[in-house]
């Protein structure tokens, strides 16, 4: 395990643990108002990271935002992995017209602006629905995964153990889930780890635009939006969520790159 991977794991563990424990270690809840300390700087009274313009504790809101952002990123990544692996494995294994038709659909969706599709899907669901938000993000996050799995499946399709399974009379579903999917799992896990920060970033972007998480909840994107409006008078309102988002994205990317490099090293 490289130093970068250890650093990434340490950051994710520490940030995740603090975010989960925040309701018990913070004297304030994420939606509590302190009218005595409006837009107070960090270390004001019991507000460790300061407050926003409504007197809400920035530490409590940031930790709650991290829980929301990570949960949405992980759930959306799971959705994209399930759809992408299934779609790519079926297309690559069946081949022929089925493969051509399935991958043409992927190409058509790929040609459309990714953010535009997510925004349309997000607006079709009730405003502020967290479940609808992660479905909307994950529903289009599977395209690259499908292409990767399809390419791996085409390579595996020519291997002897697949021919032996076909000759033995194994069904298509059996071959897919017992022989194809386990052999592509390592690559899928490495790429999925790299997908999580992308999905977190897109969720933050939607929340920044006001199409994502709604009050009284918050995500890092909505906190950054609020902080940008108060940047001149209260810079900590922007610096705190922006720093936390950067830490998460860097940690997830380092972890994903480390997993991918380790897998490539084992195959060399």
């Amino acid at each position: 395990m490289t130093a970068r991977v250890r650093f990434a794991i340490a950051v994710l563990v520490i940030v995740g643990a603090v975010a989960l424990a925040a309701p018990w270690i913070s004297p304030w809840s994420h939606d509590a108002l302190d009218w005595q300390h409006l837009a107070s700087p960090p270390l004001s009274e019991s507000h460790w990271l300061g407050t926003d313009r409504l007197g809400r504790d920035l530490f409590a809101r940031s930790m709650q935002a991290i829980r929301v952002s990570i949960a949405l990123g992980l759930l959306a990544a799971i959705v994209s992995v399930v759809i992408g692996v299934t779609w790519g494995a079926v297309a690559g294994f069946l081949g022929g017209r089925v493969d051509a038709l399935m991958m043409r659909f992927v190409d058509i969706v790929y040609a459309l602006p990714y953010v535009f599709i997510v925004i349309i899907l997000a607006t079709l669901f009730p405003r502020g629905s967290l479940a609808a938000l992660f479905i909307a993000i994950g529903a289009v996050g599977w395209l690259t995964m499908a292409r990767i799995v399809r390419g791996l499946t085409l390579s595996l399709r020519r291997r002897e153990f697949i021919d032996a399974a076909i000759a033995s009379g194994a069904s298509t579903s059996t071959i897919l889930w017992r022989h194809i999917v386990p052999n592509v799992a390592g690559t899928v896990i490495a790429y999925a780890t790299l997908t999580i920060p992308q999905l977190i970033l897109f969720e933050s972007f939607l929340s920044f635009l006001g199409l994502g998480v709604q009050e009284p909840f918050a995500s890092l994107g909505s906190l950054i939006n609020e902080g940008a409006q108060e940047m001149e008078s209260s810079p900590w309102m922007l610096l705190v969520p922006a720093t936390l988002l950067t830490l998460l994205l860097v940690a997830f990317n380092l972890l994903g790159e480390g997993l991918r490099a380790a897998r490539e090293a084992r195959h060399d």
Side-chain angles (χ1 to χ4, degrees):
M1 186 182 297
T2 64
R4 291 189 302 175
V5 174
R6 288 195 295 268
F7 170 77
I9 293 175
V11 169
L12 293 175
V13 169
I14 293 173
V15 172
V18 174
L20 290 175
W24 293 275
I25 64 177
S26 174
W28 299 93
S29 64
H30 71 276
D31 55 353
L33 304 179
D34 183 0
W35 298 109
Q36 304 299 320
H37 300 88
L38 304 180
S40 296
L43 302 179
S44 299
E45 298 296 331
S46 57
H47 300 289
W48 304 328
L49 297 180
T51 63
D52 63 13
R53 53 190 173 86
L54 296 179
R56 293 173 296 188
D57 186 73
L58 197 54
F59 172 80
R61 281 176 61 76
S62 297
M63 295 304 103
Q64 184 268 329
I66 287 177
R67 295 195 298 271
V68 170
S69 295
I70 292 180
L72 286 174
L74 290 175
L75 290 173
I78 291 173
V79 172
S80 66
V81 166
V82 171
I83 298 176
V85 170
T86 303
W87 192 278
V90 170
F93 181 74
L94 296 180
R97 293 183 177 179
V98 175
D99 178 34
L101 181 62
M102 294 178 70
M103 298 315 294
R104 291 301 78 74
F105 175 80
V106 171
D107 292 338
I108 291 172
V109 179
Y110 238 125
L112 301 175
Y114 186 92
V115 177
F116 181 68
I117 297 174
V118 175
I119 291 175
I120 290 178
L121 290 174
T123 56
L124 292 178
F125 295 101
R127 188 176 178 85
S129 172
L130 296 182
L133 182 59
F134 93 77
I135 291 175
I137 298 174
V140 292
W142 59 272
L143 300 173
T144 302
M145 181 68 73
R147 283 185 166 182
I148 292 175
V149 174
R150 183 235 181 198
L152 294 172
T153 303
L154 288 175
S155 177
L156 291 171
R157 181 67 176 80
R158 297 188 291 268
R159 301 285 292 275
E160 291 79 3
F161 67 92
I162 298 295
D163 292 334
I166 295 174
S168 66
S171 63
T172 299
S173 61
T174 299
I175 295 175
L176 286 175
W177 297 108
R178 289 189 180 180
H179 301 287
I180 300 294
V181 172
N183 280 281
V184 303
T187 301
V188 168
I189 292 173
Y191 181 75
T193 307
L194 291 171
T195 301
I196 294 173
Q198 298 174 15
L199 298 176
I200 290 177
L201 186 60
F202 270 105
E203 179 277 321
S204 297
F205 175 69
L206 288 176
S207 296
F208 182 86
L209 296 178
L211 297 173
V213 179
Q214 304 295 318
E215 297 287 356
F217 297 102
S219 82
L220 293 174
S222 62
L223 290 182
I224 290 174
N225 182 27
E226 295 174 7
Q229 301 175 29
E230 308 289 336
M231 183 173 60
E232 293 185 2
S233 59
S234 307
W236 62 88
M237 290 178 56
L238 175 62
L239 292 176
V240 169
T243 300
L244 291 174
L245 178 61
T246 301
L247 275 176
L248 286 179
L249 296 180
V250 169
F252 273 117
N253 276 302
L254 288 177
L255 181 59
E257 290 292 344
L259 292 176
R260 186 177 66 176
R263 179 165 180 79
E264 291 176 352
R266 285 198 298 268
H267 284 276
D268 291 340

